[in-house]
Amino acid sequence: MKRIIIQNNNNINWSIFAASYLHHLGVRHACISPGARNSPLTFAFTEHSKIKCFSHVDERSSAFFALGLAKSTQKPVVLISTSGTAPANFYPAVIEASLSRVPLIILSADRPPYLIGTGANQTINQQNLYGSHVCNFTDVGLPQNNNESLKDHLFTAFQHSSGLKFEEPPGPVHLNFPFDEPLLPENVSGINPLSFTFENIEIPVVKFSIPILTKSRQPLIIVGPMEGNCHQKEMIQLAERIQAPILADPLSQLRYGSNSKMVLANYDYFLRCKKINPDLIIRFGRKPTSKVMNQLLDKWKNKTILIDAWEQFNDDCPQFIQSTIGKYCQYQIKNCSWQGEHGWQKQLLAWEKEVYDILMQESVYSEGTIAKCCVESIDDGGELFIGNSMPIRDVDMFTLTSSKKIDTYSNRGASGIDGVISSALGMSHNSVNKNSLLLIGDVSFYHDMNGLLASRYEANLTIVVINNSGGGIFSFLPIAESNVENFQQYWTTDTELQINKVADLYKCKYYFAKTLKELENSIKESFKNKGVQIIEVKTTIRDNIIAHNRLRDKIKAALSDD
């Protein structure tokens, strides 16, 4: 990095120190939105040769891009904005990052304190702007000649964001940077180099107390959403050791990439038709996607154990053991001397096989088979970002276990439809050589069209847009049968969007697929090209409901014959 010091401008020196120290701590990416008040921070980060910076006009898109990038890298990403409403536009992504435990470091520029409450332009109260949705908030104060206080603030923020103390999970943090004028010197050329020497970071060693599992006849493992390598191999080894079937969420990183017969994907169907009574449930990861599964977890609370490396967060499981997944599994594998009943796991595997065979043969064009086609078209080592509402439910209910390793992501913390394109582009930036695909609905696509501007950053992403003329999820909910007036206008909300014109506006290659075969061919073709490709598939909400109900009835009939 070209480190610099400019005499009589503490704004620049303060900001350069912040960029340098955050890089030392592990930050490698920063997303920056334009503004005047944040000029010192923007200058410092863009001058740092080892921090990759992204320019985003829209702060909301910037924050969701950072979210996707942080999900895929598992490292904190810096967000920089000017003062006023600019950092407020980060809020939806901050909420999502908080609930899905994604590390973000927000650096908001601010007016000096003496201007707050005076009516000065673009001045709001930015103290604790995000409330309880950040792990830590600090106003670093006006720049000083001594960097020690800033260093302490930055290290504390990084610790909170990364979950280094294991007292709370990773998440977003907020550092507020007030700057007085002049923001920058008249000329930033003719600068003098400055070097910083930082001490090595000590990662705390935490000892976990792990009790041996009580003997169980009908054990079950449920793995919910989690990002990255979270000891999936150890979870499978534990399952095979105690003969406990694994119900694997599509975001568990277990459903795709394993050959173990213990990993089950089609439980949402057979749990609707069959009653099971596990006497021990071991949970890893966050709450699963399946509504049926979550309802059963409420009933099974007293016999469920939640395992997590951090202190319990946003989860009501009464039995909680703090431990890394790897250590917990290894301890149980070594010390457990029992196995569940063979008939228990045999029955669940038999039901899984029945549903699997029906889904394998399912070829009726619907949103469910579109989701299935998307997953099956991704090569080993690829990645999939899944939109909320119907896409994530279709992936959960229609996709099968596979030996292909596919990394899966979705914004399931708050489960909003905002910012999905931006998050997927952030994800794909970290893996330019992979097959990267986003499955999204038309309303969610419209909601984050601005995110397509980030396609200029060497992103290779195929976007499959299911255009069913509105929000199809609402037609599956009780509200659809309530005879409310203006259901189409205020719930379905058809945007009448012409996807091909959006693709043209943002210079994306466009495909239109009428059949599953055309969709498969379009996906395969798109993976050969660079840049962002948009594939539109059209469905109708009515036909989709019929297809879902028909398949559900078919599976129910097959399972009822047992």
Side-chain angles (χ1 to χ4, degrees), residues 29 68-69 72-73 381-384 407 409 423-437 457-461:
H29 300 94
L69 187 55
S72 60
T73 61
E383 58 189 3
L384 172 67
D407 293 327
Y409 303 92
S423 291
L425 285 166
M427 169 202 73
S428 67
H429 177 81
N430 187 49
S431 48
V432 293
N433 296 320
K434 291 183 178 180
N435 297 155
S436 298
L437 188 144
Y457 288 116
E458 301 176 353
N460 295 328
L461 178 68

Side-chain angles (χ1 to χ4, degrees), residues 238-256:
L238 173 60
E240 293 174 343
R241 173 68 185 82
I242 64 175
Q243 289 297 289
I246 299 176
L247 308 187
D249 189 270
L251 302 172
S252 66
Q253 317 308 327
L254 263 175
R255 186 179 288 195
Y256 321 114

